[in-house]
Amino acid sequence: MVIEACLNPLPSPPPADRILVLRLGALGDVVRTLPAVSSLRRAYPGAHIAWLVEPPAASILREQPWIDEVLVFPRPALRGALRRCQLRTLLRALVPFLRALRGRRFDLVVDFHSILRSGVLSALSGAGQRVAYARPYGRELSPLCATHRARLAPERRSRFARNAGLVDYLVPGAQPASTPLRLDPAVRLRARRRLGAGPPRVAIHPGTSDATPYKRYTVEGYARVARALAKDEGVELLVTWGPAGDERAVAERIVEAAAGAARLAPPTPTLSDLAALFAACRLTIGSDTGPLHLAALVGTPVVQIFGPTDPIENAPYAATPSRSVRVPVPCSPCRRGCAAATCMRSIPPAAVIAASRELLAPRPTAGVRARAVGS
């Protein structure tokens, strides 16, 4: 067994009263950083902890009581001005942001993102201590912007373990909070009222970001899963969807193909509403997406359908019972995906159904168990 470890931990935690966390996006990566930052909070109980993030994931961070401040990096405005070559507009958005960032006088930055953009922001914060990953996790030129660089082993590890390793560099043995993602009780109550009374529920989240359609499982595959679970397990299938792109249209096609075995989930206007809906379900099924990691972090067992993404790096939260289903085709994993999406289309619904039944059975075991089909 390979033991995951930080190879060069500091001899003692550096003193810090004001800490800046950098993990800008995307949603799944922000969610997978929450346990590590909750460990940071436990290690620095009296410090002011701020998190710099891009707009899409800011709402879920604002509801975490152990994060003192959420700073939003105005990337959409900056990118739009840059594309239109509007230098004055760019500076009007960037200069006040950087002035406010530096004015907060952070004395420690922990850069979980560790790319050039986050490295530059780390340096511009003015903090005297800036912690990031050494290569290979520190990408582009980000290690040059850090004053301290954590070396981790092995090189291939889950994002959750990678983030924990960066905290281990600062505070060896630091542990995450027992509940690294908190939901407002009022949000939970709102979700239960929207769902109403009924049998136990299973959520299917078929959508992915617009940039990664190759990670989607097939409509007919999900429909067959829904029909089997509704018939044999006595559960109600909810197909969830988000506001982006064609997610609602895809969800409606699955409901139609399921022929009465599934219904469209109620709208979830915020990430917290979506998380609360998952928390009200016995199981969530989906591909490697931010919402699936969100479901695992609120404690709902998950079946993760893997295609082009790495099943080790993208494994769900280990404290929650989960099953991973994939077909080990020769070209998977890859970083770009393709229109053919053979790795997703090759996964038989029977494998997803079997994994779901394991988790719907009494007392599912915690952690990830992989189901490689056709290996």
Side-chain angles (χ1 to χ4, degrees), residues 213-218 287 305-311 325-348 352 371 373:
Y214 48 81
K215 293 200 297 187
R216 293 182 180 180
Y217 193 44
T218 64
S287 52
I305 305 172
F306 273 112
T309 51
D310 191 305
V325 183
R326 68 185 292 261
V327 172
V329 297
C331 58
S332 174
C334 70
R335 296 191 65 86
R336 292 178 297 176
C338 65
T342 303
C343 52
M344 293 299 287
R345 297 179 186 278
S346 301
I347 296 173
V352 182
R371 182 182 297 276
V373 182

Side-chain angles (χ1 to χ4, degrees), residues 21 23-38 51 53 56-61 64 66-67 112 159-161 163-164 176 179-183 271-272 274-275 278 288-299 302 315-317 320:
V21 168
R23 179 66 241 194
L24 302 171
L27 172 61
D29 292 321
V30 170
V31 166
R32 286 180 286 184
T33 308
L34 278 164
V37 180
S38 74
W51 191 321
V53 70
S59 63
I60 198 73
L61 298 184
Q64 306 312 307
W66 44 272
I67 300 173
F112 290 96
R159 298 289 179 91
F160 286 107
N163 294 330
T179 307
L181 191 151
R182 298 279 297 276
L183 289 175
L271 289 174
S272 291
L274 181 60
F278 290 145
D288 176 30
T289 64
L292 185 114
H293 291 296
L294 192 65
L297 214 57
V298 297
V302 298
Y317 189 47
T320 299

